[in-house]
Short mmCIF file of all heavy atoms in Angstrom, two decimals:
data_model
loop_
_atom_site.label_atom_id
_atom_site.label_comp_id
_atom_site.label_asym_id
_atom_site.label_seq_id
_atom_site.Cartn_x
_atom_site.Cartn_y
_atom_site.Cartn_z
N MET C 5 93.38 99.45 118.63
CA MET C 5 93.03 100.14 119.90
C MET C 5 91.63 100.77 119.67
O MET C 5 91.54 101.55 118.75
CB MET C 5 94.10 101.24 120.26
CG MET C 5 93.79 101.86 121.47
SD MET C 5 95.10 103.06 122.00
CE MET C 5 96.39 101.85 122.44
N GLN C 6 90.83 100.46 120.53
CA GLN C 6 89.44 101.04 120.52
C GLN C 6 89.35 102.25 121.31
O GLN C 6 89.78 102.41 122.40
CB GLN C 6 88.38 100.05 121.18
CG GLN C 6 86.99 100.54 120.86
CD GLN C 6 86.02 99.39 121.28
OE1 GLN C 6 86.27 98.37 121.82
NE2 GLN C 6 84.73 99.60 120.93
N CYS C 7 88.70 103.37 120.58
CA CYS C 7 88.55 104.60 121.24
C CYS C 7 87.54 104.59 122.36
O CYS C 7 86.36 104.09 122.16
CB CYS C 7 88.09 105.70 120.13
SG CYS C 7 87.85 107.38 120.71
N LYS C 8 87.87 105.07 123.49
CA LYS C 8 86.93 105.12 124.61
C LYS C 8 85.87 106.20 124.41
O LYS C 8 84.77 106.00 125.07
CB LYS C 8 87.67 105.39 125.99
CG LYS C 8 88.65 104.34 126.29
CD LYS C 8 89.43 104.73 127.52
CE LYS C 8 90.51 103.65 127.81
NZ LYS C 8 91.26 104.00 128.96
N SER C 9 86.05 107.15 123.55
CA SER C 9 85.07 108.17 123.29
C SER C 9 84.00 107.71 122.35
O SER C 9 82.86 107.88 122.57
CB SER C 9 85.75 109.47 122.79
OG SER C 9 84.81 110.46 122.56
N CYS C 10 84.40 107.24 121.11
CA CYS C 10 83.38 106.86 120.13
C CYS C 10 83.31 105.42 119.82
O CYS C 10 82.46 105.03 118.95
CB CYS C 10 83.71 107.71 118.85
SG CYS C 10 85.22 107.14 117.93
N GLY C 11 84.24 104.60 120.14
CA GLY C 11 84.18 103.08 119.96
C GLY C 11 84.94 102.67 118.69
O GLY C 11 84.98 101.52 118.40
N PHE C 12 85.43 103.63 117.91
CA PHE C 12 86.10 103.27 116.63
C PHE C 12 87.44 102.39 116.86
O PHE C 12 88.04 102.77 117.82
CB PHE C 12 86.44 104.67 115.87
CG PHE C 12 87.03 104.39 114.50
CD1 PHE C 12 86.24 104.07 113.37
CD2 PHE C 12 88.40 104.51 114.28
CE1 PHE C 12 86.69 103.81 112.22
CE2 PHE C 12 88.85 104.26 112.97
CZ PHE C 12 88.09 103.94 111.91
N GLN C 13 87.49 101.46 116.03
CA GLN C 13 88.67 100.56 116.15
C GLN C 13 89.82 101.21 115.38
O GLN C 13 89.86 101.29 114.12
CB GLN C 13 88.43 99.16 115.66
CG GLN C 13 89.52 98.18 115.91
CD GLN C 13 89.77 98.02 117.42
OE1 GLN C 13 88.82 97.87 118.19
NE2 GLN C 13 91.05 97.86 117.83
N ASN C 14 90.88 101.66 116.03
CA ASN C 14 92.11 102.20 115.45
C ASN C 14 93.20 101.26 115.36
O ASN C 14 93.15 100.19 116.08
CB ASN C 14 92.52 103.44 116.22
CG ASN C 14 91.44 104.55 116.18
OD1 ASN C 14 91.42 105.38 115.30
ND2 ASN C 14 90.65 104.59 117.32
N SER C 15 94.30 101.63 114.69
CA SER C 15 95.54 100.66 114.71
C SER C 15 96.17 100.69 116.18
O SER C 15 95.97 101.70 116.79
CB SER C 15 96.52 101.15 113.64
OG SER C 15 97.16 102.30 113.96
N GLU C 16 96.85 99.70 116.54
CA GLU C 16 97.50 99.73 117.72
C GLU C 16 98.56 100.81 117.83
O GLU C 16 98.97 101.17 118.96
CB GLU C 16 98.19 98.40 117.99
CG GLU C 16 97.24 97.32 118.23
CD GLU C 16 96.34 97.50 119.51
OE1 GLU C 16 96.88 97.96 120.62
OE2 GLU C 16 95.12 97.30 119.45
N GLN C 17 99.16 101.38 116.76
CA GLN C 17 100.10 102.47 116.76
C GLN C 17 99.52 103.83 116.90
O GLN C 17 100.24 104.79 117.07
CB GLN C 17 101.03 102.38 115.58
CG GLN C 17 101.83 101.12 115.45
CD GLN C 17 100.95 99.91 114.94
OE1 GLN C 17 100.08 100.01 114.37
NE2 GLN C 17 101.51 98.78 115.32
N ALA C 18 98.26 103.92 116.78
CA ALA C 18 97.55 105.23 116.70
C ALA C 18 97.70 105.94 118.03
O ALA C 18 97.63 105.37 119.15
CB ALA C 18 96.14 105.09 116.37
N ASN C 19 97.99 107.34 118.00
CA ASN C 19 97.98 108.13 119.19
C ASN C 19 96.61 108.74 119.48
O ASN C 19 96.29 109.03 120.62
CB ASN C 19 99.09 109.28 119.00
CG ASN C 19 100.53 108.74 119.03
OD1 ASN C 19 100.76 107.87 119.85
ND2 ASN C 19 101.23 109.17 118.12
N PHE C 20 95.88 109.14 118.31
CA PHE C 20 94.65 109.74 118.41
C PHE C 20 93.69 109.01 117.47
O PHE C 20 94.02 108.36 116.48
CB PHE C 20 94.75 111.22 117.82
CG PHE C 20 95.61 112.02 118.77
CD1 PHE C 20 97.01 112.10 118.51
CD2 PHE C 20 95.08 112.79 119.87
CE1 PHE C 20 97.85 112.94 119.39
CE2 PHE C 20 95.85 113.45 120.67
CZ PHE C 20 97.17 113.65 120.52
N CYS C 21 92.40 109.04 117.86
CA CYS C 21 91.30 108.42 117.08
C CYS C 21 91.15 108.90 115.70
O CYS C 21 91.00 110.15 115.49
CB CYS C 21 90.02 108.57 117.83
SG CYS C 21 88.63 107.65 117.00
N SER C 22 91.13 108.07 114.69
CA SER C 22 91.04 108.48 113.24
C SER C 22 89.65 109.02 113.03
O SER C 22 89.38 109.74 111.97
CB SER C 22 91.33 107.26 112.42
OG SER C 22 92.60 106.84 112.50
N LYS C 23 88.64 108.60 113.80
CA LYS C 23 87.27 109.11 113.54
C LYS C 23 86.87 110.39 114.36
O LYS C 23 86.45 111.31 113.63
CB LYS C 23 86.30 108.08 114.04
CG LYS C 23 84.78 108.28 113.79
CD LYS C 23 83.92 107.10 113.97
CE LYS C 23 82.48 107.52 113.69
NZ LYS C 23 81.62 106.39 113.92
N CYS C 24 87.24 110.43 115.65
CA CYS C 24 86.74 111.58 116.37
C CYS C 24 87.87 112.53 116.83
O CYS C 24 87.76 113.61 117.27
CB CYS C 24 85.95 111.17 117.67
SG CYS C 24 86.87 110.39 118.95
N GLY C 25 89.15 112.00 116.69
CA GLY C 25 90.35 112.83 117.04
C GLY C 25 90.73 112.82 118.53
O GLY C 25 91.78 113.51 118.89
N LYS C 26 90.03 112.12 119.33
CA LYS C 26 90.42 112.15 120.73
C LYS C 26 91.61 111.29 121.04
O LYS C 26 92.07 110.37 120.37
CB LYS C 26 89.22 111.47 121.60
CG LYS C 26 88.04 112.25 121.57
CD LYS C 26 88.14 113.59 122.35
CE LYS C 26 86.84 114.36 122.40
NZ LYS C 26 87.00 115.61 123.06
N LYS C 27 92.34 111.62 122.06
CA LYS C 27 93.61 111.11 122.43
C LYS C 27 93.44 109.59 122.91
O LYS C 27 92.46 109.40 123.73
CB LYS C 27 94.24 111.94 123.61
CG LYS C 27 95.66 111.56 123.89
CD LYS C 27 96.14 112.56 124.91
CE LYS C 27 97.57 112.48 125.11
NZ LYS C 27 98.08 113.53 126.05
N LEU C 28 94.18 108.70 122.46
CA LEU C 28 94.03 107.23 122.82
C LEU C 28 94.95 106.78 123.92
O LEU C 28 94.65 105.84 124.58
CB LEU C 28 94.35 106.37 121.57
CG LEU C 28 93.34 106.69 120.37
CD1 LEU C 28 93.74 105.81 119.18
CD2 LEU C 28 91.86 106.20 120.87
N ARG C 29 96.04 107.51 124.01
CA ARG C 29 97.02 107.06 125.10
C ARG C 29 97.56 108.34 125.71
O ARG C 29 97.58 109.47 125.24
CB ARG C 29 98.17 106.26 124.47
CG ARG C 29 98.82 106.94 123.35
CD ARG C 29 99.95 105.98 122.67
NE ARG C 29 99.32 105.09 121.67
CZ ARG C 29 99.44 103.79 121.75
NH1 ARG C 29 100.07 103.22 122.71
NH2 ARG C 29 98.77 103.08 120.82
N GLU C 30 98.03 108.05 127.09
CA GLU C 30 98.54 109.20 127.87
C GLU C 30 99.80 109.87 127.24
O GLU C 30 99.90 111.07 127.14
CB GLU C 30 98.88 108.71 129.18
CG GLU C 30 99.13 109.79 130.35
CD GLU C 30 98.02 110.69 130.66
OE1 GLU C 30 96.87 110.19 130.42
OE2 GLU C 30 98.20 111.82 131.10
N VAL C 31 100.77 109.02 126.80
CA VAL C 31 102.04 109.50 126.21
C VAL C 31 101.95 109.11 124.84
O VAL C 31 101.97 107.95 124.50
CB VAL C 31 103.23 108.91 126.99
CG1 VAL C 31 104.53 109.34 126.32
CG2 VAL C 31 103.29 109.33 128.48
N CYS C 32 102.04 110.10 123.98
CA CYS C 32 101.99 109.85 122.49
C CYS C 32 103.45 109.92 121.91
O CYS C 32 104.33 110.55 122.44
CB CYS C 32 101.20 110.96 121.85
SG CYS C 32 99.53 110.99 122.41
N ASP C 33 103.53 109.27 120.79
CA ASP C 33 104.83 109.52 119.94
C ASP C 33 104.52 110.67 119.11
O ASP C 33 104.01 110.74 118.07
CB ASP C 33 104.91 108.24 118.97
CG ASP C 33 106.16 108.28 118.26
OD1 ASP C 33 107.11 109.03 118.64
OD2 ASP C 33 106.28 107.55 117.26
N CYS C 34 105.01 111.88 119.74
CA CYS C 34 104.64 113.07 119.18
C CYS C 34 105.38 113.42 117.82
O CYS C 34 106.64 113.46 117.83
CB CYS C 34 105.08 114.20 120.21
SG CYS C 34 104.60 115.93 119.61
N TRP C 35 104.57 113.70 116.85
CA TRP C 35 105.20 113.95 115.52
C TRP C 35 105.92 115.35 115.41
O TRP C 35 106.59 115.64 114.51
CB TRP C 35 104.25 113.72 114.35
CG TRP C 35 102.96 114.61 114.43
CD1 TRP C 35 101.84 114.49 115.28
CD2 TRP C 35 102.84 115.85 113.66
NE1 TRP C 35 101.02 115.67 115.00
CE2 TRP C 35 101.65 116.42 114.03
CE3 TRP C 35 103.55 116.45 112.70
CZ2 TRP C 35 101.08 117.57 113.36
CZ3 TRP C 35 103.12 117.66 112.10
CH2 TRP C 35 101.84 118.14 112.46
N ILE C 36 105.49 116.25 116.31
CA ILE C 36 106.07 117.60 116.34
C ILE C 36 107.39 117.55 117.10
O ILE C 36 108.37 117.93 116.54
CB ILE C 36 105.15 118.57 117.03
CG1 ILE C 36 103.80 118.69 116.32
CG2 ILE C 36 105.80 119.91 117.23
CD1 ILE C 36 103.89 119.34 114.89
N LYS C 37 107.43 117.00 118.31
CA LYS C 37 108.61 117.01 119.06
C LYS C 37 109.50 115.83 118.73
O LYS C 37 110.69 115.71 119.11
CB LYS C 37 108.35 116.89 120.56
CG LYS C 37 107.67 118.17 121.12
CD LYS C 37 107.33 118.00 122.57
CE LYS C 37 108.50 118.02 123.41
NZ LYS C 37 109.30 119.17 123.66
N LYS C 38 109.00 114.84 117.83
CA LYS C 38 109.79 113.66 117.40
C LYS C 38 110.34 112.81 118.65
O LYS C 38 111.39 112.35 118.61
CB LYS C 38 110.88 114.04 116.51
CG LYS C 38 110.36 114.88 115.31
CD LYS C 38 111.12 114.47 114.04
CE LYS C 38 110.73 115.33 112.87
NZ LYS C 38 109.44 115.57 112.57
N GLU C 39 109.43 112.74 119.62
CA GLU C 39 109.81 111.90 120.85
C GLU C 39 108.49 111.61 121.57
O GLU C 39 107.46 112.33 121.39
CB GLU C 39 110.80 112.61 121.75
CG GLU C 39 110.23 113.93 122.33
CD GLU C 39 111.25 114.62 123.08
OE1 GLU C 39 112.47 114.42 122.94
OE2 GLU C 39 110.90 115.46 124.01
N PRO C 40 108.54 110.70 122.41
CA PRO C 40 107.33 110.40 123.36
C PRO C 40 107.12 111.59 124.15
O PRO C 40 108.03 112.17 124.71
CB PRO C 40 107.75 109.22 124.18
CG PRO C 40 108.83 108.52 123.41
CD PRO C 40 109.48 109.56 122.66
N TYR C 41 105.84 112.07 124.26
CA TYR C 41 105.42 113.38 124.94
C TYR C 41 104.03 113.35 125.42
O TYR C 41 103.13 112.92 124.67
CB TYR C 41 105.71 114.51 123.96
CG TYR C 41 105.51 115.85 124.61
CD1 TYR C 41 106.41 116.38 125.57
CD2 TYR C 41 104.49 116.62 124.28
CE1 TYR C 41 106.18 117.60 126.13
CE2 TYR C 41 104.23 117.98 124.84
CZ TYR C 41 105.17 118.42 125.74
OH TYR C 41 104.86 119.62 126.29
N ASN C 42 103.77 113.81 126.53
CA ASN C 42 102.28 114.02 127.03
C ASN C 42 102.08 115.47 126.91
O ASN C 42 102.53 116.27 127.73
CB ASN C 42 102.26 113.44 128.45
CG ASN C 42 100.69 113.71 128.90
OD1 ASN C 42 99.86 114.15 128.10
ND2 ASN C 42 100.48 113.33 130.18
N CYS C 43 101.30 115.90 125.92
CA CYS C 43 100.97 117.29 125.70
C CYS C 43 99.87 117.79 126.71
O CYS C 43 99.63 119.07 126.85
CB CYS C 43 100.58 117.55 124.21
SG CYS C 43 99.03 116.74 123.65
N GLY C 44 99.18 116.86 127.29
CA GLY C 44 98.16 117.23 128.13
C GLY C 44 96.87 117.64 127.50
O GLY C 44 95.92 118.14 128.13
N GLN C 45 96.66 117.54 126.24
CA GLN C 45 95.63 117.82 125.38
C GLN C 45 94.82 116.74 125.13
O GLN C 45 95.17 115.59 124.96
CB GLN C 45 96.04 118.58 124.14
CG GLN C 45 96.95 119.81 124.29
CD GLN C 45 96.20 120.99 125.00
OE1 GLN C 45 95.32 121.49 124.45
NE2 GLN C 45 96.74 121.42 126.17
N ASP C 46 93.38 116.85 124.94
CA ASP C 46 92.50 115.78 124.57
C ASP C 46 92.61 115.50 123.08
O ASP C 46 92.40 114.30 122.70
CB ASP C 46 91.07 116.21 124.93
CG ASP C 46 90.72 116.08 126.32
OD1 ASP C 46 91.48 115.48 127.09
OD2 ASP C 46 89.72 116.80 126.68
N GLN C 47 92.98 116.46 122.23
CA GLN C 47 93.15 116.30 120.84
C GLN C 47 94.59 116.87 120.43
O GLN C 47 95.14 117.70 121.17
CB GLN C 47 92.04 116.96 120.02
CG GLN C 47 90.66 116.35 120.30
CD GLN C 47 89.66 117.06 119.49
OE1 GLN C 47 89.63 118.18 119.19
NE2 GLN C 47 88.75 116.18 118.91
N CYS C 48 95.07 116.27 119.36
CA CYS C 48 96.51 116.67 118.92
C CYS C 48 96.49 118.25 118.65
O CYS C 48 95.75 118.71 117.82
CB CYS C 48 96.91 115.90 117.69
SG CYS C 48 98.56 116.30 117.17
N PRO C 49 97.33 118.93 119.33
CA PRO C 49 97.44 120.39 119.10
C PRO C 49 98.22 120.69 117.84
O PRO C 49 98.16 121.89 117.36
CB PRO C 49 98.16 120.88 120.26
CG PRO C 49 99.00 119.76 120.84
CD PRO C 49 98.16 118.58 120.47
N GLY C 50 98.84 119.71 117.19
CA GLY C 50 99.73 119.95 115.99
C GLY C 50 100.71 121.01 116.32
O GLY C 50 101.38 120.95 117.24
N TYR C 51 100.94 121.92 115.30
CA TYR C 51 101.90 122.95 115.56
C TYR C 51 101.66 123.98 116.68
O TYR C 51 102.48 124.65 117.11
CB TYR C 51 102.25 123.71 114.27
CG TYR C 51 103.07 122.83 113.28
CD1 TYR C 51 102.48 122.25 112.21
CD2 TYR C 51 104.49 122.39 113.58
CE1 TYR C 51 103.24 121.40 111.34
CE2 TYR C 51 105.10 121.64 112.76
CZ TYR C 51 104.55 121.16 111.63
OH TYR C 51 105.30 120.29 110.79
N ARG C 52 100.33 123.99 117.12
CA ARG C 52 99.95 124.84 118.25
C ARG C 52 100.62 124.39 119.50
O ARG C 52 100.73 125.07 120.47
CB ARG C 52 98.51 124.76 118.46
CG ARG C 52 97.60 125.53 117.57
CD ARG C 52 96.11 125.58 117.93
NE ARG C 52 95.60 124.23 118.53
CZ ARG C 52 95.31 124.01 119.77
NH1 ARG C 52 95.62 124.77 120.72
NH2 ARG C 52 94.89 122.79 120.05
N LEU C 53 101.17 123.21 119.46
CA LEU C 53 101.87 122.57 120.71
C LEU C 53 102.93 123.68 121.19
O LEU C 53 103.09 123.82 122.42
CB LEU C 53 102.55 121.34 120.37
CG LEU C 53 103.38 120.71 121.46
CD1 LEU C 53 102.58 120.37 122.67
CD2 LEU C 53 104.09 119.50 121.00
N PHE C 54 103.61 124.40 120.35
CA PHE C 54 104.70 125.27 120.69
C PHE C 54 103.95 126.42 121.55
O PHE C 54 104.53 126.97 122.59
CB PHE C 54 105.43 125.83 119.53
CG PHE C 54 106.19 124.74 118.86
CD1 PHE C 54 106.01 124.41 117.55
CD2 PHE C 54 107.25 124.05 119.49
CE1 PHE C 54 106.69 123.46 116.90
CE2 PHE C 54 108.00 122.95 118.82
CZ PHE C 54 107.63 122.62 117.62
N ALA C 55 102.88 126.87 121.12
CA ALA C 55 102.09 127.95 121.82
C ALA C 55 101.57 127.49 123.09
O ALA C 55 101.61 128.11 124.14
CB ALA C 55 101.00 128.54 120.95
N VAL C 56 101.00 126.27 123.05
CA VAL C 56 100.53 125.70 124.37
C VAL C 56 101.69 125.56 125.37
O VAL C 56 101.46 125.89 126.54
CB VAL C 56 99.87 124.30 124.03
CG1 VAL C 56 99.55 123.60 125.31
CG2 VAL C 56 98.64 124.48 123.19
N LYS C 57 102.77 125.00 124.92
CA LYS C 57 103.91 124.78 125.86
C LYS C 57 104.38 126.03 126.38
O LYS C 57 104.60 126.22 127.55
CB LYS C 57 104.95 123.97 125.11
CG LYS C 57 106.12 123.56 125.97
CD LYS C 57 107.00 122.65 125.24
CE LYS C 57 108.22 122.22 126.16
NZ LYS C 57 109.17 121.49 125.47
N LYS C 58 104.47 127.15 125.58
CA LYS C 58 105.00 128.41 126.04
C LYS C 58 104.00 129.04 127.07
O LYS C 58 104.48 129.59 127.94
CB LYS C 58 105.17 129.42 124.77
CG LYS C 58 105.81 130.69 125.17
CD LYS C 58 106.05 131.59 123.93
CE LYS C 58 106.73 132.77 124.36
NZ LYS C 58 107.11 133.65 123.28
N ARG C 59 102.75 128.90 126.82
CA ARG C 59 101.71 129.32 127.73
C ARG C 59 101.78 128.79 129.04
O ARG C 59 101.69 129.31 130.08
CB ARG C 59 100.34 129.21 127.18
CG ARG C 59 99.19 129.88 127.88
CD ARG C 59 97.85 129.92 127.26
NE ARG C 59 97.80 129.13 125.96
CZ ARG C 59 97.00 128.05 125.82
NH1 ARG C 59 96.14 127.66 126.80
NH2 ARG C 59 96.99 127.44 124.63
N LEU C 60 102.03 127.41 129.09
CA LEU C 60 102.11 126.56 130.37
C LEU C 60 103.40 126.96 131.14
O LEU C 60 103.47 126.93 132.32
CB LEU C 60 102.15 125.18 130.03
CG LEU C 60 100.82 124.57 129.53
CD1 LEU C 60 101.02 123.10 129.14
CD2 LEU C 60 99.80 124.68 130.51
N GLN C 61 104.39 127.45 130.42
CA GLN C 61 105.77 127.77 131.04
C GLN C 61 105.68 129.12 131.68
O GLN C 61 106.43 129.43 132.57
CB GLN C 61 106.90 127.75 130.20
CG GLN C 61 107.20 126.30 129.67
CD GLN C 61 108.21 126.31 128.55
OE1 GLN C 61 108.54 127.29 127.91
NE2 GLN C 61 108.87 125.08 128.37
N SER C 62 104.62 130.06 131.21
CA SER C 62 104.67 131.31 131.83
C SER C 62 103.92 131.49 133.12
O SER C 62 103.23 130.59 133.55
CB SER C 62 103.85 132.32 130.87
OG SER C 62 103.90 132.06 129.54
#
């Protein structure tokens, strides 16, 4: 899968670009939640996802 931001060619299974870190697909196979999820972030929030999600719920 080619990154729309930097043009790097990533594997078809990639959720984020290996070169610039930008999101490659709308719904990712989230390694934190262990399910398909759209975090709404341009880059993977990692464990910050819990803080981002809590902030959005308030």
Side-chain angles (χ1 to χ4, degrees):
M5 177 176 291
Q6 187 170 10
C7 178
K8 293 178 184 174
S9 182
C10 72
F12 185 76
Q13 188 64 39
N14 295 277
S15 74
E16 287 299 317
Q17 294 79 24
N19 291 315
F20 295 89
C21 180
S22 296
K23 184 174 181 182
C24 72
K26 294 291 183 182
K27 193 173 192 177
L28 297 172
R29 54 184 84 238
E30 189 69 26
V31 176
C32 298
D33 184 18
C34 183
W35 64 279
I36 298 293
K37 293 181 66 75
K38 307 221 185 305
E39 63 184 23
Y41 183 71
N42 180 5
C43 65
Q45 304 292 303
D46 287 338
Q47 296 184 319
C48 181
Y51 286 108
R52 281 188 319 105
L53 177 61
F54 297 116
V56 169
K57 189 174 178 184
K58 186 174 183 175
R59 187 172 7 121
L60 292 174
Q61 290 174 343
S62 334

